[in-house]
Amino acid sequence: MPAIAFDQVVKHYGNRRVVDSLSFDVEPGECFGLLGPNGAGKTTTLRMLLGIVAPDAGHIRLCGEPVPARARIARSRVGVVPQFDNLDPDFSVRENLLVFGRYFGLSGAQARALVAPLLEFARLESKADARVGELSGGMRRRLTLARALVNDPDVLVMDEPTTGLDPQARHLIWERLRSLLARGKTILLTTHFMEEAERLCDRVCVIEEGRKIAEGAPNALIESEIGCDVFEVYGPDPLALRDELAPLAARTEISGETLFCYVDDPQPVHARLRHRANLRYLHRPANLEDVFLRLTGREMQD
């Protein structure tokens, strides 16, 4: 049985359909990424999953329970890491964990027994008695993740867990999430970092305007949607560069001052560019960000 199941789910706000017949399953022990531009319906999807808002049509199951009818029961087996930290600034690190444990009906002794291993997991042992305001952004994010584990959940729902973190903090969060997956936890993750999704997710679902437009393993999507190498070329006249390189490329795109060339054979492009003093270029394998931008477009969306 899937840990999470969406079946033809629809949600309107006024006359706007923000989730449009969305269907996907998340298997136990899987990391599943929900990707999409701003306004695509990701947050509404998570709110419906947790029973905060009700769908207008379709069916949702979380940990085998129908949502929203039995959302409270389902949430007892779920840990949530919200997009913005909502830690209690009046409490210490230890107290934030203890108080949250009581929300799940743990006794004082049970909650206290959990504190040490959770602090170790989050690498916050030395900060146990510090106030939240004394923590760095990365420390607060790790504390939020530790707090989400107080009830030993089967499923973790994470909304952009590393936004605003520096690279060191982001890599530490990724290492902690991989350890949770190794323990059999199921993770539903929204993120704008395509590298994060590519590193962590077994499968991803890309949505736009509330509709699913692609789903699959990151490597499979990269191969099916791109399937070749990429040159990013930076120069003073990208239109002229496009005209020059188009015969050597399977496809070209311009974004700002950058020309993207998708090539099956990189050698002719290297030969054309390597001695051009007025150009800078990067040759790399295709990645999930290329897939995302091809599916959703390179233009900013309001």
Side-chain angles (χ1 to χ4, degrees), residues 169-189:
R170 188 176 302 133
H171 279 265
L172 180 55
I173 292 288
W174 290 347
E175 187 269 329
R176 298 287 80 187
L177 294 183
R178 279 191 287 266
S179 73
L180 292 172
L181 291 169
R183 287 161 49 185
K185 303 296 186 186
T186 303
I187 297 177
L188 175 62
L189 171 77

Side-chain angles (χ1 to χ4, degrees), residues 238-257:
L239 290 173
L241 280 170
R242 181 184 63 186
D243 293 340
E244 178 183 352
L245 296 177
L248 306 177
R251 182 166 57 91
T252 60
E253 294 176 1
I254 293 175
S255 179
E257 297 181 348

Side-chain angles (χ1 to χ4, degrees), residues 67-145:
V67 174
R70 292 171 60 86
R72 182 182 294 274
I73 294 171
R75 284 202 303 267
S76 68
R77 299 168 58 190
V78 175
V80 179
V81 178
Q83 182 176 352
F84 302 106
D85 294 331
N86 55 0
L87 299 163
D88 194 318
D90 296 325
F91 291 160
S92 69
V93 168
R94 185 194 315 276
E95 289 165 343
N96 266 274
L97 297 175
L98 289 171
V99 169
F100 206 68
R102 301 306 294 268
Y103 292 156
F104 285 94
L106 300 179
S107 68
Q110 288 173 320
R112 286 191 296 273
L114 290 172
V115 168
L118 288 175
L119 289 175
E120 182 181 1
F121 172 85
R123 298 188 185 176
L124 291 172
E125 302 98 315
S126 65
K127 299 292 183 179
D129 297 315
R131 298 285 178 180
V132 167
E134 301 171 34
L135 304 180
S136 69
M139 290 176 181
R140 289 195 299 272
R141 211 63 183 136
R142 279 152 36 210
L143 176 57
T144 303
L145 175 56

